[in-house]
Every structure is written in C-alpha cells, then in structure tokens.
Amino acid sequence: MSSRNSLVRTANRIYAALIAAVGRLDKSLSPRDTIRRLQNHSFTLSDTIYLFHIALATFWITLMQSPGFPLKLLIPVLYNIALLIPFTSQFFVPATPIFAWLLTYYSSRFIPDDKRPSVSVSVLPTLESVLYGANVSDILTRFTHPVLDVIAWIPYGVGHFTFPFVVAVFIWLFRPKQVLHLWARVFGYLNLVGVVVQILFPCAAPWYEVIFGLTPADYSMLGSPGGLLRIDNIFHSHGYTVAFSHAPVVFGAVPSLHSACATIEALFLSHFFPQTTKYVWAYAGTLYWSTMYLTHHYLIDVVGGSCLAIAFFYVFLPDEFKGPAATAGPNGFPGSNGTGRLSKYEIYDLEAPRPRRGGGGMDGADYELSSDVSSPHASDEEDNIAYRSPAPETPRSSMPLIGNERKKPRTQAPRRSHKHTASIASLIRADDRVEEGWSPIGTGSFMFPPTPTQNGTPKAT
C-alpha cells in the first residue's frame, strides 16, 4: 500500500509539474512578437556565435548532395520559419548547437575521399597497450553470452538515443529554463566538437581489427555493427547492420561519443538532481563497458570521450548554478513546493508540522515554529525589532490599561523562544498578567488560564 501511495504521489507531482511547464510556454504564433523582441534585444559579443553557425550551415548545405538542389534549400527556409514563430523559436534557438551537430554528422559523408585524412588503424591499439598494459577492449570481448549482449545493448543501442530526451524533459519540468538552455548548448557543442575530431582524426574501431586485422583502411569500406550483430540475430532483424553499414562517419572511434554523452548526462543529473547520482553513474559505467564489449571503442576512446564531457560541463556551467541554485525549481526557489512560493516553515528553515498521531488535527507542538532551544539571552529577544509595533508609543502588552508594574525577577530556566514568529504566546507577556488572576510563572506552579470549561477556576497541576 505504501509503495502504491508513493507512486500516486509521484504521478501527481509529475502531472502538476507538466501542467505548470505547459503554462510557462510561449504560445504566441505571431512572427511580429519575435521581430519586436529582436529589435529590443541588446546584442553582445556572445551573439557572434550565431555567425559561426550561419557559416557552418552554409558550408555543409553547399556540400550536401542528398537532397539535391533546390530541395536542400528547404532546410534553411523551414528553420528560419521556426525561428520566426515564438512558439517554435523557444525550442529551436536553444537547440541550434544540436542542429549544427546533426547537420555536420550527416553531411560529412559528402566530403570527397581525396580531401579526407588517412585512416589510422594501429594508433589506438598501440596506445591501449602502452597506457594500460594490454588491449582491454579485446579482453572484454573474449567471452560473450546472450544475456550480456542484451545488458550491453540496452544502454548502447537504446539508452544512448533516448536518454538525452529524458534528461531534457526532467529539466524542463523541474528546473528553470536556463538549465534547459544550458543542457542543449553543452550537449550540442560536445557532440559537434566530437564529430569534428572524428572527421579530422579518423581511427578504426576494434571491430575493424577483429575483421581485417591491421591492414590499411579506406573510405570505400562499409561500417560494421560489431557486437550489435548478435542483437540483430536475437531479434531476427537487420536494423543495426543497415544503420552502421551506412553510417556517415565509419572511422569515428575517438573520442567515444557514447561515453561522452553518458558522462555529460550523469554530470547534469547528479548536479541538478543529486538524488539520482548513484543511478545515473551506474548507467554510465554500464555503457562504458558496453562500448568495449560490443567492439565499438577502445578504452582510450572511452576515457577521451569522458574527459571531453567533463571539460565541457565545467567550462559551460555558470557560477549561479554551482551552489544551492542548482536544485532550485522552475520559479527559482530552492525546495519550491511547485507553486513558486515557500511555506513559512521553509522561509524560516524549520521542520514542517507533524501530523497528529490520532489522525486529523495537530497537537500543540505543531504550532511551535522555533526549532532550537532559546539561548540565555532569549528574554532579550522578545523585543526583536522585526515584531515591534511601528508606533513607539503603542503599548507592548495586549492590556494597554496596565501600567509599568513592578516585575518579578525570573528564577526559572529560560523557556523556548518564538524567535521566528509573532505567535500569540510571545505577544502575551505572562509576567504582566499576574493581576488577571493567572500566570504561568508567577506562582511557582503552572496554572491554566480561565476558560469556559473550567468555569473560571484556575486548576493547579
């Protein structure tokens, strides 16, 4: 029953976050709003990055052969339309680095072979043996089993393509939009730089060494699914064989973008959602192993991709997200209750009221908002300036007719002080109420104040 209630609460929280996130979206479809914002925008030096994106897109679209001219002109036309409409521009502008990476990855297949660098076949296995004393990836592939194949396939062949969207959705629901923009920017530039390195420094993956040994490679060779071929056999399909055979970047072993993506996902989730740390790093560790088990990367590729992701994360992470603001909700309040407002217990850093054991209602201790015992100077703190009357001549007591009576010295230990709230108990000065016929401290024994149930007779205890 408790697990069912927990699932219901989680589902309700996600639903409430979804409704709030949809409500925060810009639903305007008028290009005039975008043009107006562009006119009011104050351009800075960082905006010059869009000139780089324009030049990069122009280069790859010019090089692109499929689709051919003039159909390929629809790519920039449709993209500009998406930028003009406010509803779509709020997604497409932050995702510009991601689109730049996808365009670079796809169009790299059209680079003429005579303009490409030569493929390195022996550099990676040599470095693997020199740095680690053995070919670690080769050792991991000597024993295979269908169960291990499936365990390796889930993060490598499924999680790698779906987990980035999961991270983006969670950030969109539970964190400010600046974090979502940061995620798109870091993820896009990380993969863009990784693909450029693979193009400029092509290296053969372990599957090539298994099939062809150390014979020279050329760009006319098709890619191989490696260990994923066993997954095709398990499911009686040819999906991975076809996908990897026609991959735009066949010799892109270093850096491993699988390990880079897993590392950046783990860094983001563990930083902005600390409660997920052990789970996301377990996923990343499994993916590190699967890249080598499936003969797609050497250990040095995995290390290189992870180091690249770590560098990008800490270089791009702004200072305002390095502290408690990293766990702030969409409205900027750490520990926000989903409405954008903090409860009085969160404002004063106190524990929330405890439910009454008998069910329903709250006991007297629940109204105590001070969470620590008062200091010896607690009596002086009763006159805290935060709760004084704005008029200096206003009597402090709720009985203005009582003058400056002679006060009895306090001999008992200091009581708990309501330092954080002007509660009824702190406003009533008990030692000024002796003439009323009751006092909690003036008689040496505790006496309840007159109530209708006591018929006005104090009851000593």
Side-chain angles (χ1 to χ4, degrees):
M1 183 63 68
S2 60
S3 60
R4 180 181 178 181
N5 292 337
S6 178
L7 291 176
V8 171
R9 287 194 300 269
T10 301
N12 290 337
R13 183 182 179 188
I14 294 176
Y15 177 75
L18 177 62
I19 296 300
V22 172
R24 293 191 300 269
L25 291 177
D26 186 351
K27 302 174 181 64
S28 173
L29 300 178
S30 175
R32 293 181 180 179
D33 295 338
T34 301
I35 296 174
R36 188 180 305 110
R37 293 172 187 172
L38 188 62
Q39 291 173 343
N40 297 330
H41 178 71
S42 299
F43 289 91
T44 61
L45 184 62
S46 60
D47 293 326
T48 57
I49 190 64
Y50 293 106
L51 298 178
F52 163 76
H53 284 293
I54 294 174
L56 185 67
T58 302
F59 171 77
W60 290 120
I61 291 177
T62 302
L63 193 66
M64 187 184 299
Q65 299 177 8
S66 177
F69 183 85
L71 288 179
K72 63 182 179 181
L73 295 180
L74 289 176
I75 297 176
V77 170
L78 294 176
Y79 187 76
N80 286 321
I81 293 175
L83 294 182
L84 282 175
I85 300 175
F87 179 74
T88 54
S89 66
Q90 63 188 330
F91 301 105
F92 278 74
V93 172
T96 297
I98 298 179
F99 290 119
W101 154 53
L102 295 175
L103 181 63
T104 301
Y105 176 75
Y106 172 77
S107 300
S108 63
R109 68 175 71 199
F110 304 114
I111 300 177
D113 292 348
D114 58 343
K115 304 294 184 182
R116 294 173 178 262
S118 59
V119 180
S120 175
V121 174
S122 59
V123 170
L124 294 182
T126 301
L127 287 176
E128 183 101 342
S129 300
V130 170
L131 294 177
Y132 307 111
N135 191 327
V136 179
S137 60
D138 180 65
I139 295 174
L140 293 177
T141 59
R142 292 179 182 177
F143 175 78
T144 61
H145 191 275
V147 175
L148 295 178
D149 295 339
V150 173
I151 294 175
W153 162 68
I154 291 175
Y156 190 90
V158 179
H160 173 71
F161 301 101
T162 59
F163 207 52
F165 296 98
V166 174
V167 176
V169 169
F170 264 82
I171 294 175
W172 176 57
L173 292 177
F174 301 109
R175 292 298 177 262
K177 66 178 181 179
Q178 292 82 358
V179 180
L180 181 61
H181 295 174
L182 176 66
W183 164 250
R185 187 163 57 250
V186 174
F187 186 79
Y189 285 126
L190 170 64
N191 284 276
L192 176 61
V193 171
V195 168
V196 171
V197 172
Q198 292 175 350
I199 295 172
L200 298 178
F201 183 52
C203 294
W207 59 260
Y208 183 90
E209 184 181 2
V210 172
I211 300 174
F212 302 103
L214 298 179
T215 58
D218 59 75
Y219 291 100
S220 63
M221 296 180 174
L222 299 178
S224 170
L228 289 175
L229 178 61
R230 298 192 295 272
I231 298 298
D232 279 347
N233 294 334
I234 291 175
F235 293 102
H236 305 285
S237 65
H238 304 282
Y240 288 108
T241 301
V242 173
F244 282 91
S245 298
H246 298 86
V249 182
V250 175
F251 302 103
V254 60
S256 170
L257 290 182
H258 274 75
S259 67
C261 291
T263 302
I264 201 67
E265 291 157 2
L267 287 171
F268 258 84
L269 287 180
S270 60
H271 183 79
F272 292 101
F273 300 90
Q275 64 272 24
T276 66
T277 299
K278 58 183 179 182
Y279 304 107
V280 295
W281 283 108
Y283 161 80
T286 304
L287 190 139
Y288 297 157
W289 161 78
S290 66
T291 59
M292 295 178 284
Y293 174 80
L294 297 174
T295 68
H296 280 268
H297 292 285
Y298 294 96
L299 178 58
I300 191 173
D301 309 335
V302 175
V303 174
S306 299
C307 291
L308 186 65
I310 294 171
F312 266 78
F313 178 76
Y314 287 104
V315 167
F316 278 83
L317 184 67
D319 292 337
E320 57 265 26
F321 289 136
K322 293 181 180 179
T327 56
N331 296 292
F333 294 115
S336 176
N337 55 18
T339 63
R341 300 178 180 177
L342 295 180
S343 68
K344 59 185 178 181
Y345 307 101
E346 293 172 315
I347 292 175
Y348 297 118
D349 194 20
L350 302 174
E351 292 184 1
R354 301 183 303 275
R356 197 169 186 175
R357 289 187 180 87
M362 302 165 67
D363 55 27
D366 293 328
Y367 293 94
E368 176 61 65
L369 298 186
S370 177
S371 59
D372 47 304
V373 179
S374 62
S375 65
H377 303 287
S379 60
D380 297 332
E381 294 178 359
E382 285 186 354
D383 294 333
N384 190 302
I385 190 172
Y387 305 111
R388 291 179 184 173
S389 172
E393 66 275 10
T394 303
R396 298 181 182 179
S397 172
S398 60
M399 297 294 295
L401 299 179
I402 297 179
N404 296 327
E405 286 86 3
R406 184 178 175 181
K407 299 181 180 179
K408 298 181 181 181
R410 301 191 179 191
T411 57
Q412 296 182 356
R415 302 172 61 213
R416 292 174 61 88
S417 171
H418 295 265
K419 296 185 293 183
H420 301 300
T421 181
S423 64
I424 297 301
S426 64
L427 292 177
I428 299 177
R429 302 180 61 85
D431 49 354
D432 291 339
R433 310 292 289 171
V434 178
E435 277 72 13
E436 289 277 307
W438 65 275
S439 173
I441 61 174
T443 61
S445 62
F446 183 83
M447 300 180 65
F448 286 99
T451 62
T453 58
Q454 296 174 348
N455 298 323
T457 304
K459 182 179 179 181
T461 57

